[in-house]
Amino acid sequence: MNNPQRVKHNGDLILTTEQLAKFYGTSTKRIMENYSRNKERFIDGKHFYYLEGPALKQFKDYTANSGLVDKHAPSAYLWTKRGASRHSKMLGTDRAWDMFDELEETYFSPARQNELALTTEQQVHLLATNGDRANKRIGHVEDEIKDLQDNQTIAPGEYNYISHQVGSAVKSYISAHPFVVTSQQRAKLYRDINRGLNEVTGIKTRTQLRRKDFDTADEFISNWKPSTATIQIIKQLSGEVAGQTDLEIEQSV
């Protein structure tokens, strides 16, 4: 018998259903039929280990290049020495008996416990690799959560705060520049600050402000000054106002 790849699971040397069928000269279907008919004779954790989900994926990663388990298999049975013995008795063939004796003397021999398919260094590397994968998955989830949080629109209270700051910035500029007297001039200033706010935060309207934009928006408003073009336009409008009567100016405000 060619020495099979020695693999441990949960501290026990195991054989997959495929290996067992090959050694005993039968089919995997026959192995599983015998198990199904005699489930009461098998104890999980003593005669076999049943793997599915994350545990199966980890075992597939552990034996990635061995072909011990079909990479598309949704589940797997790993048979211990006691499980392999039960199967040889159920099959009852000379080959099954002979092969189990040989497995017992070679594969399951205590003298060969250190001859595992994976060295200690490989197992440590596997654990580190799986740990890295888990950390990457956790990091990816955390990034997605943060992205969702950052891209939420700002709360009503924050929106009102930004709106108040915009109004205060425009009023402060008007107070310092007496030539701004008409609603048309004030509209130019509001248009200027809103346009700049939208540009620095990458939005089209203030209602689209996101949580991650709040500090940027607040800083922009605090440092805002009208553009040269806007200042020039409101000054030009001041010249037009200069020719109006006091009554006309009052009505235009």
Side-chain angles (χ1 to χ4, degrees):
M1 175 186 74
N2 294 326
N3 289 332
Q5 179 172 337
R6 296 165 61 82
V7 179
K8 267 190 174 183
H9 178 77
N10 209 33
D12 289 325
L13 279 167
I14 55 85
L15 291 168
T16 65
T17 302
E18 289 81 359
Q19 286 178 303
L20 210 57
K22 181 178 179 181
F23 298 145
Y24 288 168
T26 186
S27 65
T28 57
K29 182 180 179 181
R30 178 73 182 280
I31 294 290
M32 294 311 300
E33 285 177 347
N34 285 347
Y35 165 70
S36 296
R37 294 185 186 122
N38 299 275
K39 282 186 177 182
E40 71 282 357
R41 298 176 180 270
F42 291 88
I43 300 173
D44 192 353
K46 180 178 180 181
H47 299 99
F48 70 93
Y49 294 98
Y50 176 74
L51 303 184
E52 62 180 350
L56 177 60
K57 183 181 184 305
Q58 185 175 6
F59 182 78
K60 287 180 179 179
D61 290 341
Y62 182 74
T63 58
N65 299 318
S66 66
L68 292 180
V69 178
D70 185 341
K71 63 180 181 180
H72 299 299
S75 61
Y77 285 84
L78 310 180
W79 305 101
T80 65
K81 177 181 176 181
R82 290 179 174 180
S85 173
R86 297 245 161 143
H87 276 292
S88 70
K89 293 175 182 177
M90 289 176 184
L91 288 168
T93 63
D94 290 340
R95 169 160 178 156
W97 282 110
D98 291 342
M99 289 303 296
F100 178 75
D101 287 343
E102 191 166 347
L103 283 170
E104 192 172 30
E105 292 174 5
T106 56
Y107 186 84
F108 292 112
S109 170
R112 297 188 59 195
Q113 288 296 307
N114 294 325
E115 299 178 21
L116 295 178
L118 298 180
T119 65
T120 301
E121 291 78 12
Q122 288 173 320
Q123 294 180 51
V124 170
H125 175 71
L126 175 64
L127 290 173
T129 300
N130 288 339
D132 288 343
R133 288 175 181 169
N135 289 335
K136 287 178 180 178
R137 286 195 294 269
I138 292 171
H140 181 66
V141 172
E142 290 176 343
D143 288 343
E144 287 185 341
I145 292 173
K146 185 177 186 303
D147 185 62
L148 287 172
Q149 291 175 339
D150 287 345
N151 283 287
Q152 286 181 340
T153 55
I154 58 176
E158 295 171 320
Y159 179 86
N160 292 336
Y161 169 83
I162 292 295
S163 297
H164 179 268
Q165 291 298 90
V166 167
S168 295
V170 172
K171 290 175 183 177
S172 177
Y173 182 85
I174 292 173
S175 297
H177 299 82
F179 60 83
V180 182
V181 294
T182 69
S183 60
Q184 187 178 7
Q185 290 172 307
R186 289 197 294 272
K188 294 292 183 183
L189 292 173
Y190 275 106
R191 188 175 296 113
D192 183 279
I193 192 172
N194 284 323
R195 181 173 59 247
L197 180 61
N198 291 348
E199 287 179 357
V200 298
T201 56
I203 60 176
K204 293 183 178 180
T205 64
R206 196 182 305 168
T207 55
Q208 295 176 337
L209 275 173
R210 296 155 295 189
R211 289 181 60 182
K212 67 179 181 180
D213 301 325
F214 183 83
D215 290 339
T216 300
D218 194 27
E219 181 181 0
F220 169 78
I221 297 167
S222 297
N223 298 317
W224 170 78
K225 290 181 180 179
S227 67
T228 301
T230 298
I231 293 173
Q232 189 69 29
I233 290 171
I234 61 177
K235 282 183 176 180
Q236 289 173 354
L237 292 172
S238 293
E240 295 175 5
V241 171
Q244 298 178 359
T245 66
D246 291 342
L247 178 60
E248 289 173 332
I249 292 173
E250 185 179 347
Q251 289 176 339
S252 67
V253 175

